Amino acid sequence: MSRPQLALNLFWRTFALQALLLVGVVLAWQQTFKALEAEPRALEAAQQLAGLVNLSRAALAHGDAISRVAVIRSLSSSEAVQVRVAESSDRWRPYEENAFSRRLAAELRGRLGPDTVVARSVNDEYGLWVRFSIERDAFWLQTSAAPLSISTEGSNWWWIAIALVATVLGSAAIARLINRPLRELADAAGRIREGEYDSRLDESTLTSEVRKVNMGFNRMARELGKMEEDRTVMLAGLSHDLRTPLARLRLEAEMSVSDELARQYMAQDIDQLDAIINKFMDYARPSELQLHSLPLAELVEHQAQAFRDPSQLRISCRLQPQLQVLADETELGRVLLNVFENARRYGHAPNEAAWVEVSAEAQGRWVALRLRDHGPGVPPDKLSRLTTPFFRGDAARTAATGAGLGLAIVEKSVQRMGGELEIANAEGGGLLTTIRLQRAG
């Protein structure tokens, strides 16, 4: 079974989408607030600065040179506003560096005239400088650098950080609240898959859609439980009713049939019918699972002993003795027996013994157990149906004498142990069965 490269459960996907949405909203709101705040602040600052420039211009315009010098000295004694004579050698740095400063400079030029210069520094002395002219003389008005800090850049980052933290926590809480019914439904569905049909969901929840889903699921679980119980009773009765006449047939064949060859064939047919009944019972009534840490090599070797008949099946094992898997010994034994039996019946060329190679390797938290036969394989279009109950790929097989439940039992048992089953044609011919079990330790 192929896995996606990146898989997120529903909680993390919902959390990520909500967090991205809310973070985008916060940042968009912050940018909008900055844009809306810059306009009135720029107009207010421009109005105040234009008033200072006009007052200074009026004080300097109505006087001679001596009076202007006196006015300049008087203004120079102020800490808030100073006026200096502009020289042609002055070096100044433009004030426009961001949206606010550009809007402020444009507003000042609109109020004071297009020849107005707004600078951030003059002769490496920082402040807010405005150059204006009176007749043929130019002057610099310097005010405090306070207007330079009238900017939205970086002023609200502490608030944004708080908003982002609240967004993350809120998204996690909302995602958890939204996904809790789905998580409960997924857990209950997993228990149903394991055969626990008494799983029940809350039918009194306030959300109407969730309540309807829970009621439908509970109704389905009750029906499945009843069907499973009826099927088990039916198959148990069928097994009992069939085995009684089979036992009589076996006894009658042994006592009444004088032909040795005919008696042998009849015994084989009876054994085949008995094996088919056992397959039905294994598929319909699985045993209770008890997962333990098991030595894989030892268990495979033990199950392979029953098939160590070179005339029918040869098994070669290459397993590391330290590999431990989390499995049920009885269930895993049933899995191996069915895979070996499937290989004995179908995984060989005509008139040759079947050969199965068994290997395993650790893959993170999994152990991949591979069993490969050297038979004709299966057509690719039939691979996905091999685990369907009662299906047999007869076109690519020899002597199909089973009930078509072997690989279906294997898949069901592997899934009950929390593992995965993959069946594919091996390179060079044959069928490759890969069983992934949870790694113990």
Side-chain angles (χ1 to χ4, degrees):
M1 181 184 300
S2 61
R3 288 177 170 269
Q5 296 297 323
L6 178 61
L8 294 177
N9 60 32
L10 191 57
F11 170 82
W12 288 112
R13 188 177 66 175
T14 305
F15 167 76
L17 292 176
Q18 286 185 335
L20 287 175
L21 175 62
L22 293 177
V23 167
V25 170
V26 169
L27 294 179
W29 176 87
Q30 193 258 355
Q31 294 295 328
T32 303
F33 179 77
K34 286 167 60 175
L36 295 176
E37 187 184 32
E39 180 76 16
R41 285 194 176 189
L43 292 176
E44 181 182 1
Q47 183 179 5
Q48 294 175 356
L49 289 171
L52 290 175
V53 171
N54 289 330
L55 287 175
S56 300
R57 178 181 286 170
L60 294 172
H62 301 288
D64 54 15
I66 297 177
S67 299
R68 289 182 179 179
V69 172
V71 171
I72 291 174
R73 287 181 179 178
S74 176
L75 292 175
S76 299
S77 62
S78 173
E79 296 181 358
V81 179
Q82 295 185 9
V83 177
R84 301 181 184 180
V85 177
E87 303 291 345
S88 59
S89 60
D90 289 339
R91 293 174 289 102
W92 52 275
R93 178 184 172 188
Y95 184 67
E96 297 89 334
E97 289 188 354
N98 52 44
F100 171 78
S101 60
R102 287 191 292 270
R103 185 69 183 89
L104 176 60
E107 186 66 25
L108 282 174
R109 292 189 185 96
R111 291 174 178 269
L112 300 177
D115 58 343
T116 303
V117 176
V118 185
R120 186 172 295 271
S121 66
V122 175
N123 298 326
D124 297 329
E125 186 176 348
Y126 286 89
L128 179 52
W129 299 79
V130 181
R131 191 175 70 181
F132 60 94
S133 301
I134 300 176
E135 298 176 354
R136 291 179 297 177
D137 297 326
F139 300 89
W140 286 108
L141 182 141
Q142 180 194 22
T143 185
S144 64
L148 294 174
S149 63
I150 303 177
S151 172
T152 55
E153 294 292 338
S155 60
N156 293 324
W157 285 114
W158 61 271
W159 183 89
I160 295 176
I162 295 176
L164 292 179
V165 172
T167 294
V168 172
L169 296 179
S171 298
I174 294 173
R176 182 178 180 85
L177 183 64
I178 292 176
N179 294 319
R180 180 168 28 178
L182 295 177
R183 186 178 65 251
E184 293 174 353
L185 179 60
D187 293 341
R191 292 193 296 271
I192 291 291
R193 186 187 67 179
E194 300 297 333
E196 300 178 16
Y197 297 103
D198 57 346
S199 298
R200 294 294 180 268
L201 297 175
D202 184 14
E203 297 184 2
S204 60
T205 181
L206 297 179
T207 307
S208 60
E209 292 84 0
V210 175
R211 184 169 61 252
K212 291 179 180 178
V213 170
N214 290 353
M215 294 172 65
F217 181 87
N218 292 340
R219 190 180 305 113
M220 179 193 69
R222 288 192 295 269
E223 294 296 328
L224 288 175
K226 186 175 183 302
M227 290 175 58
E228 181 68 17
E229 182 180 356
D230 293 343
R231 184 178 67 169
T232 301
V233 172
M234 180 189 68
L235 288 176
L238 181 65
S239 173
H240 178 270
D241 293 343
L242 288 177
R243 278 176 171 153
T244 300
L246 284 177
R248 289 200 300 266
L249 285 174
R250 183 186 294 274
L251 180 62
E252 187 70 21
E254 293 291 339
M255 296 179 61
S256 303
V257 178
S258 58
D259 189 332
E260 178 67 24
L261 185 59
R263 185 168 62 248
Q264 182 179 353
Y265 286 157
M266 291 179 66
Q268 290 177 353
D269 290 340
I270 293 173
D271 290 340
Q272 182 177 343
L273 288 173
D274 192 58
I276 291 175
I277 293 174
N278 289 332
K279 292 290 185 183
F280 274 103
M281 296 305 298
D282 287 341
Y283 184 78
R285 189 174 55 193
S287 60
E288 294 294 329
L289 287 183
Q290 293 183 353
L291 301 182
H292 302 288
S293 177
L294 301 174
L296 183 60
E298 180 179 331
L299 185 60
V300 172
E301 185 67 28
H302 176 73
Q303 297 299 330
Q305 292 298 326
F307 293 92
R308 287 291 170 85
D309 183 356
S311 63
Q312 295 186 355
L313 178 67
R314 293 183 293 116
I315 302 175
S316 60
C317 298
R318 299 192 305 274
L319 300 175
Q320 300 176 3
Q322 70 271 17
L323 282 179
Q324 299 278 329
V325 295
L326 192 63
D328 180 88
E329 185 173 1
T330 301
E331 199 77 5
L332 184 55
R334 182 181 293 119
V335 167
L336 293 172
L337 287 175
N338 278 281
V339 175
F340 288 149
E341 178 66 22
N342 190 75
R344 184 185 69 82
R345 290 182 176 180
Y346 311 119
H348 60 87
N351 302 322
E352 293 184 8
W355 176 30
V356 177
E357 295 178 280
V358 184
S359 62
E361 65 174 344
Q363 297 177 344
R365 65 186 187 93
W366 299 94
V367 172
L369 176 64
R370 297 185 177 90
L371 303 97
R372 178 195 173 181
D373 64 41
H374 291 265
V378 175
D381 59 329
K382 295 185 178 182
L383 280 173
S384 60
R385 301 175 59 193
L386 286 180
T387 56
T388 302
F390 310 111
F391 175 80
R392 294 177 301 192
D394 294 343
R397 300 291 193 178
T398 60
T401 58
L405 283 174
L407 293 180
I409 293 174
V410 169
E411 183 181 49
K412 188 175 182 180
S413 298
V414 170
Q415 290 178 349
R416 294 182 69 227
M417 291 186 291
E420 298 176 349
L421 174 68
E422 181 180 348
I423 302 176
N425 287 316
E427 294 183 4
L431 199 66
L432 175 63
T433 302
T434 302
I435 302 172
R436 290 186 177 85
L437 299 171
Q438 301 178 67
R439 186 178 182 182

